[in-house]
Amino acid sequence: MKSQDVRKQFLEFFKSKQHTIVSSAPMVIKDDPTLMFTNAGMNQFKEYFLGNSVPKSSRVVDTQKCLRVSGKHNDLEEVGKDTYHHTMFEMLGNWSFGDYFKKEAIDWAWELLTEVYKIDKSILYVTIFEGDEKEGLEKDTEAYNYWKQFVPENRILNGNKKDNFWEMGDQGPCGPCSEIHVDIRSEEEKAKVPGKNLVNQDHPQVVEIWNLVFMQFNRKANGTLEKLPAQHVDTGMGFERLCMVLQNKQSNYDTDVFTPLIKKIETVTGSTYGKKEETNIAIRVIADHVRAVSFSISDSQLPSNNGAGYVIRRILRRAIRYGFTFLNTKEPFIYQLVDTLSDQMGVAFPELKSQKKLISQVIQEEEISFLRTLDQGLQLLDTVIANAKNKTVSGKKAFELYDTFGFPIDLTALILSERGYTLNEKEFNEELQKQKDRSRAASEVAKDDWTVLNNSNKEPFIGYDHTETEVKITRYRKVNSKKDGELYQIVLDSTPFYPEGGGQVGDKGFLESKDEKVKILDTKKENNLILHFTEKLPANVKDTFLAKVDTKLRNKTSKNHTATHLLHQALRDILGTHVEQKGSLVSPDYLRFDFSHFSKLTTEELQKIEYFVNTRIEEQLPLEEKRNITYNQAIDEGAIALFGEKYGDSVRAIKFGDSMELCGGIHVKNTANIWHFKITGEGAVASGIRRIEAITGDAVKHYFKEQETKLETINQFFKNPQDTVKAVKNLQEENNELKKQIEQLLKDKAKGLKIELQTELQEINGVQFLAKQVDLEANALKDLAYELGANSKNLFLFLATVQNDKPMLTCYISKELVAEKGLNAGQIVRELGKYIQGGGGGQPFFATAGGKDPEGISKALNQAIEYIR
Ligand code: ATP
Ligand code: MG
């Protein structure tokens, strides 16, 4: 069965059980500060489990792009070494939000595996939660009894809290789970060791394929469990592992999910898969990582130096490194795999196809720069080895290489062992731990549990139509982070405050009651909750408040947001439809727009873009807003959607003339309100990504005012000429002409001086000698000395000059004299330099010294003769 069909059958099976098919959420998470990447299918549904919001449909099925490379679920180090863990993988899941529970979940899982996919029942094992005394949790006999109908009891195994109690993170929804494992070993092997002994023992052919989680609890900040308001089902099946079973393979990498990539790697690198274990590992690492990195870039997360971008950079570097060491690839090659990946997965994930060029260019740039780093690192390592004592290299040095140059520690260890050196790993690990502690402490946010005052079924956000409204606080909590200190997060029953999102910053404003006024510093979204940040809580949290948005800021922001849409339209119109939004910032002060494009914008292009946007402003286009239309309807009408953005069943479309985008942000009512649009900057952010910064409204007025003031000042300098540009041009020309004249005069002066000095030379002890103060600038003085020297084999010239009140000595001695008499100009200027309170040096035949005291010049000149006496 082809992998595409495996995926399709899963979705269709649950559709036949009244589940709604939903699409994968983006892999890179943007609205949940507790998580960088989606690490399980349940992330996008977290708020439903917690009862913070109500799903449209209580039965859902999907396939979710997951990435397990950071935080609680981190498989990175396993990937490639084993055959069944990936960084990025698809998790197939069926979901019940307060609908069915254990019975149906178990019945359907069994039906799908054994009747639809026709997996041999005798290779299946299941596990159930055995209970945990410390947590006060009982054995899951309910699940046990349901399984008993299908599975012989000796194949139902008890599992402990580690394997059979699922938790997303340190806090949040959790519950007992029941896993399904397959034993795909040969009959001989099964005869030797029974499969039940190998379940959950990291055996590559006895692996978990499906986990059925029964969400019953919420883990609170203090570690205790509380019952959830309703019970839910959350299941996750590894798509690649399922394909392995259904395609009768022993490794995920032998399924059609990976074979095209592996073939391509073999061709590009000239290596062979399946012969030597270290080559196999490297090929698996590369095949896996190119998926993770490509999907992430198409979700708009580019490799970078911090946060999620840094994680992506490290994954890519791991792949480059494995190629470098084990496949001997010293040139970029991973970018060449993007075509294959896009051919293979572009149907299910069209973003890979449409962004192929960008993905491959970004990867290539990263490869080039990291290969350079590896090169430098290798040279540095040579020095480190040369200085090592007792054939051991200190962990501190290795850490420096790792930290500053991104030089991988396993490569350091490998090279050292090849040369018979050892690495002090303990010391390295200590350094690493110290660094981790530092960064954790910096980013750690301690959160109290919510204090819930009441639940509300009002519309949570009313900010499109209102900027102030009467509200009640429904819940609040204290949060504490190194970065922001102690703050409160307040949730209101309904709010006019726009929470940061879609590039637009969060609203600020006030909560006012008759007795007090609390400042709202910022507004953000965490999953579906709108959090208002304050420094203090109102004294009476149960009071009724007037929530008032700072409309001055909000109006400025809305101008910039609408201008951003018009800019996007202008770019696609003027540069082409390859332009895709790659990030934006919409604040009261300015807007920033990142987009894919491959060359610097010309002045002409920038002018055209400004003109395009300003024309839309002059046309006074009214806002046409469509709320609650379906995604498909919006796209059919021509709306632009962004990749990597999460869209619900119903969306909001914003239209101004021919510009139409899916957008949740705040906009002006008419483009005329923007007043004017002005680009203030254009540059590169990364390879293939450009950035434009621009301003609107009052900011443009200030900008023009500033320009005007500058111009006025210039005009004053020129005594108000008729034509300023011409005046500046004239001045420039005049200036150039004068420069030329000065140069000529200086040359003439030097010529005259040369003749004068030549006549003043004295013959002393066979040496042509002159010590004299002249009025010449340093470079001209040097030229002069060299010219005089060219005509003579026994010249000793000692010249002094004062330029800008600073004395300077120059000494020239013919090379022949230097050789014959052992004279040294460098030494002479150093010795005589002390008279002018200075120092200097140079070569034996030419040297200079600068000083502070011009008074000392005559003494220095008088002393010079001593050297040839
Ligand atoms: P394992 O113990 O094998 O790492 P897990 O307990 O971490 O699995 P869950 O968190 O329950 O797995 O995830 C649900 C399913 O997702 C698993 O049954 C498995 O099929 C799949 N899965 C989990 N991690 C990975 C991974 N890194 N690569 C591929 N598939 C995975
Ligand atoms: Mg795991």
Side-chain angles (χ1 to χ4, degrees):
M1 190 186 283
K2 282 233 171 82
S3 57
Q4 306 234 12
D5 300 323
V6 174
R7 191 190 287 119
K8 210 161 108 198
Q9 284 204 357
F10 183 88
L11 298 173
E12 272 168 12
F13 174 79
F14 283 102
K15 195 176 162 198
S16 78
K17 310 283 185 201
Q18 292 76 51
H19 287 60
T20 308
I21 301 178
V22 303
S23 47
S24 173
M27 192 172 79
V28 184
I29 294 184
K30 298 195 177 112
D31 60 357
D32 185 349
T34 61
L35 217 52
M36 264 190 221
F37 303 103
T38 296
N39 64 16
M42 60 85 64
N43 298 154
Q44 68 162 320
F45 304 124
K46 196 166 87 174
E47 294 303 291
Y48 300 154
F49 296 133
L50 288 169
N52 289 341
S53 56
V54 186
K56 274 236 167 73
S57 163
S58 63
R59 292 183 185 187
V60 159
V61 61
D62 71 349
T63 173
Q64 173 65 49
K65 300 177 269 187
C66 296
L67 191 62
R68 291 195 167 179
V69 289
S70 58
K72 193 173 174 87
H73 294 281
N74 186 346
D75 292 334
L76 183 62
E77 286 312 314
E78 260 43 75
V79 174
K81 293 183 188 144
D82 76 18
T83 49
Y84 60 105
H85 279 100
H86 303 296
T87 53
M88 190 219 120
F89 62 99
E90 279 180 68
M91 197 185 280
L92 304 165
N94 57 295
W95 311 85
S96 153
F97 307 120
D99 189 328
Y100 62 84
F101 204 44
K102 294 183 189 174
K103 176 173 172 17
E104 292 84 347
I106 289 172
D107 283 357
W108 290 337
W110 192 255
E111 184 186 335
L112 176 65
L113 292 182
T114 62
E115 285 169 37
V116 177
Y117 289 136
K118 301 210 164 27
I119 297 178
D120 179 359
K121 290 176 189 158
S122 73
I123 69 164
L124 296 173
Y125 288 85
V126 300
T127 64
I128 58 128
F129 180 49
E130 67 186 4
D132 188 283
E133 225 171 278
K134 258 219 226 105
E135 301 264 11
L137 294 168
E138 286 176 5
K139 174 174 164 161
D140 193 354
T141 45
E142 200 187 344
Y144 187 89
N145 290 331
Y146 291 131
W147 280 123
K148 219 167 59 179
Q149 309 169 69
F150 310 118
V151 186
E153 290 189 55
N154 64 354
R155 289 174 169 273
I156 308 176
L157 312 172
N158 279 339
N160 58 19
K161 201 179 117 192
K162 183 183 140 275
D163 287 321
N164 283 74
F165 194 85
W166 204 91
E167 308 200 39
M168 182 192 67
D170 296 333
Q171 271 161 271
C174 54
C177 62
S178 198
E179 307 156 335
I180 302 168
H181 295 254
V182 291
D183 180 359
I184 51 173
R185 293 173 303 152
S186 66
E187 289 308 320
E188 293 121 85
E189 299 218 29
K190 285 183 188 169
K192 279 186 228 153
V193 186
K196 64 188 276 186
N197 295 0
L198 298 175
V199 166
N200 274 332
Q201 299 301 321
D202 298 330
H203 190 289
Q205 270 98 46
V206 185
V207 295
E208 176 189 326
I209 55 166
W210 203 350
N211 195 355
L212 316 180
V213 181
F214 309 119
M215 295 286 185
Q216 289 174 277
F217 304 104
N218 178 31
R219 172 82 66 191
K220 304 203 341 175
N222 64 7
T224 59
L225 294 170
E226 75 182 357
K227 265 213 143 85
L228 286 174
Q231 295 176 326
H232 317 278
V233 172
D234 150 9
T235 85
M237 173 145 64
F239 168 67
E240 298 78 6
R241 292 188 192 177
L242 178 63
C243 289
M244 162 174 82
V245 178
L246 298 181
Q247 296 178 2
N248 283 321
K249 304 291 184 198
Q250 302 277 299
S251 152
N252 289 3
Y253 294 91
D254 293 337
T255 66
D256 67 347
V257 180
F258 284 96
T259 45
L261 278 176
I262 289 181
K263 277 218 185 76
K264 181 79 185 184
I265 297 172
E266 288 182 308
T267 324
V268 177
T269 64
S271 49
T272 316
Y273 186 65
K275 286 226 167 102
K276 198 167 155 201
E277 188 54 8
E278 61 180 33
T279 312
N280 296 348
I281 292 176
I283 292 179
R284 288 197 291 262
V285 164
I286 295 159
D288 174 278
H289 291 8
V290 70
R291 285 171 24 114
V293 173
S294 300
F295 272 88
S296 152
I297 296 173
S298 75
D299 259 8
S300 292
Q301 182 56 67
L302 300 175
S304 73
N305 253 341
N306 49 44
Y310 189 54
V311 177
I312 298 303
R313 172 166 284 169
R314 281 205 344 249
I315 297 175
L316 182 52
R317 288 183 165 187
R318 188 169 183 262
I320 300 170
R321 221 283 287 155
Y322 269 88
F324 182 87
T325 315
F326 300 108
L327 307 183
N328 207 23
T329 47
K330 308 295 182 231
E331 299 292 330
F333 73 100
I334 298 174
Y335 72 97
Q336 294 181 44
L337 309 176
V338 176
D339 259 342
T340 313
L341 180 66
S342 136
D343 286 347
Q344 183 196 350
M345 299 196 77
V347 178
F349 300 96
E351 63 268 32
L352 279 184
K353 251 207 170 87
S354 71
Q355 304 193 54
K356 200 163 75 173
K357 185 171 170 203
L358 173 74
I359 298 170
S360 110
Q361 185 160 349
V362 170
I363 292 181
Q364 189 182 13
E365 284 290 319
E366 284 284 312
E367 288 191 84
I368 293 171
S369 93
F370 187 56
L371 286 169
R372 210 180 298 134
T373 301
L374 282 178
D375 224 39
Q376 284 169 355
L378 287 172
Q379 285 174 24
L380 267 166
L381 193 56
D382 281 340
T383 335
V384 172
I385 290 175
N387 293 329
K389 292 189 190 105
N390 309 328
K391 296 233 148 195
T392 6
V393 167
S394 91
K396 277 209 174 109
K397 274 270 173 281
F399 183 77
E400 240 172 73
L401 269 169
Y402 163 85
D403 194 38
T404 344
F405 296 94
F407 202 72
I409 185 63
D410 47 351
L411 185 58
T412 306
L414 186 81
I415 294 169
L416 290 180
S417 77
E418 278 169 7
R419 304 219 198 150
Y421 283 75
T422 50
L423 167 72
N424 186 337
E425 275 189 51
K426 189 166 157 270
E427 209 173 73
F428 174 83
N429 287 329
E430 281 164 10
E431 291 296 315
L432 188 64
Q433 192 55 45
K434 271 192 231 158
Q435 189 205 40
K436 278 186 183 162
D437 291 346
R438 277 194 300 272
S439 68
R440 184 167 329 115
S443 67
E444 211 154 40
V445 184
K447 292 178 190 158
D448 286 3
D449 286 318
W450 287 109
T451 303
V452 179
L453 298 178
N454 58 57
N455 278 315
S456 145
N457 45 19
K458 282 200 194 168
E459 181 70 31
F461 178 67
I462 55 162
Y464 296 137
D465 308 306
H466 304 275
T467 50
E468 48 177 89
T469 188
E470 276 202 349
V471 299
K472 288 261 192 199
I473 295 177
T474 57
R475 59 171 73 193
Y476 62 86
R477 72 179 171 192
K478 190 164 79 184
V479 293
N480 202 329
S481 71
K482 259 250 163 69
K483 197 166 137 253
D484 302 319
E486 196 174 283
L487 289 174
Y488 290 88
Q489 298 177 338
I490 296 177
V491 180
L492 306 173
D493 57 350
S494 184
T495 182
F497 281 79
Y498 179 80
E500 178 184 310
Q504 184 180 327
V505 300
D507 274 335
K508 297 182 200 290
F510 291 96
L511 276 187
E512 292 175 15
S513 69
K514 49 192 185 315
D515 312 311
E516 59 184 326
K517 191 166 167 180
V518 176
K519 196 168 178 181
I520 306 286
L521 306 169
D522 200 358
T523 313
K524 288 187 175 162
K525 215 169 171 178
E526 188 173 298
N527 298 298
N528 289 320
L529 289 182
I530 298 176
L531 312 178
H532 305 78
F533 289 74
T534 65
E535 249 162 28
K536 60 169 192 159
L537 274 183
N540 178 7
V541 289
K542 296 192 174 149
D543 220 343
T544 300
F545 297 89
L546 189 63
K548 269 172 128 170
V549 172
D550 182 333
T551 48
K552 230 175 155 178
L553 291 177
R554 155 84 80 100
N555 286 339
K556 286 184 176 182
T557 306
S558 66
K559 289 176 189 170
N560 283 335
H561 204 149
T562 303
T564 306
H565 284 206
L566 299 178
L567 170 62
H568 191 185
Q569 187 196 6
L571 290 168
R572 290 173 69 94
D573 192 82
I574 291 158
L575 304 178
T577 47
H578 64 280
V579 166
E580 280 195 18
Q581 178 167 348
K582 285 288 157 201
S584 71
L585 174 73
V586 179
S587 74
D589 303 331
Y590 76 110
L591 68 94
R592 192 175 78 199
F593 190 77
D594 296 348
F595 56 99
S596 47
H597 183 62
F598 298 97
S599 52
K600 183 168 173 54
L601 274 67
T602 62
T603 314
E604 201 195 345
E605 283 167 336
L606 289 171
Q607 277 168 358
K608 272 191 187 163
I609 292 163
E610 273 182 357
Y611 181 78
F612 182 103
V613 175
N614 283 320
T615 307
R616 302 289 90 74
I617 293 171
E618 278 161 29
E619 284 168 354
Q620 311 199 357
L621 303 168
L623 163 67
E624 295 172 61
E625 180 192 359
K626 293 189 180 162
R627 280 185 217 165
N628 299 323
I629 57 173
T630 68
Y631 179 83
N632 288 336
Q633 190 186 342
I635 299 297
D636 286 348
E637 288 183 27
I640 295 184
L642 306 181
F643 286 118
E645 211 54 55
K646 192 162 113 188
Y647 294 108
D649 307 329
S650 72
V651 296
R652 174 170 177 258
I654 293 294
K655 193 166 181 300
F656 290 97
D658 293 332
S659 148
M660 184 167 175
E661 290 192 30
L662 297 187
C663 177
I666 308 284
H667 288 269
V668 296
K669 295 276 176 282
N670 188 299
T671 56
N673 299 355
I674 300 173
W675 191 73
H676 199 80
F677 170 82
K678 179 89 196 84
I679 293 177
T680 52
E682 192 272 343
V685 192
S687 142
I689 311 267
R690 312 287 313 171
R691 167 173 293 177
I692 283 184
E693 290 181 337
I695 50 177
T696 63
D698 280 353
V700 182
K701 290 185 190 162
H702 289 142
Y703 176 84
F704 284 146
K705 187 75 217 161
E706 235 174 59
Q707 300 297 317
E708 194 186 340
T709 314
K710 265 188 213 160
L711 188 61
E712 270 167 16
T713 318
I714 294 171
N715 278 335
Q716 277 167 17
F717 280 142
F718 286 99
K719 308 237 161 18
N720 299 315
Q722 292 220 308
D723 183 340
T724 314
V725 178
K726 204 168 157 219
V728 174
K729 243 189 181 152
N730 286 346
L731 183 70
Q732 232 171 16
E733 275 165 15
E734 212 176 291
N735 197 27
N736 284 339
E737 189 50 41
L738 288 174
K739 260 191 203 152
K740 268 191 217 149
Q741 289 183 13
I742 290 177
E743 262 167 40
Q744 193 51 48
L745 283 174
L746 283 175
K747 266 190 200 148
D748 292 350
K749 184 176 166 192
K751 227 190 242 162
L753 200 59
K754 187 178 154 194
I755 298 168
E756 191 185 317
L757 293 182
Q758 234 157 6
T759 58
E760 287 179 33
L761 288 173
Q762 274 180 294
E763 172 109 17
I764 301 172
N765 290 339
V767 174
Q768 297 262 50
F769 174 76
L770 179 66
K772 189 178 180 182
Q773 179 166 357
V774 295
D775 179 18
L776 211 56
E777 166 277 330
N779 278 326
L781 197 59
K782 183 175 176 185
D783 291 345
L784 178 66
Y786 274 67
E787 272 177 41
L788 285 170
N791 304 330
S792 165
K793 289 191 159 99
N794 57 346
L795 182 68
F796 183 138
L797 210 52
F798 190 78
L799 300 174
T801 182
V802 179
Q803 300 289 319
N804 301 324
D805 297 333
K806 294 262 159 59
M808 206 189 105
L809 306 176
T810 296
C811 180
Y812 180 95
I813 305 171
S814 298
K815 284 195 173 133
E816 292 80 358
L817 269 187
V818 170
E820 270 170 42
K821 307 220 165 182
L823 289 170
N824 186 331
Q827 190 190 341
I828 293 170
V829 297
R830 261 195 303 277
E831 285 170 11
L832 301 185
K834 66 177 189 250
Y835 293 111
I836 57 164
Q837 287 186 32
Q843 287 152 296
F845 67 94
F846 183 81
T848 58
K852 287 182 214 145
D853 182 14
E855 303 279 311
I857 286 184
S858 56
K859 265 201 193 130
L861 291 175
N862 287 337
Q863 283 297 315
I865 201 164
E866 297 301 328
Y867 288 95
I868 47 169
R869 278 242 166 92

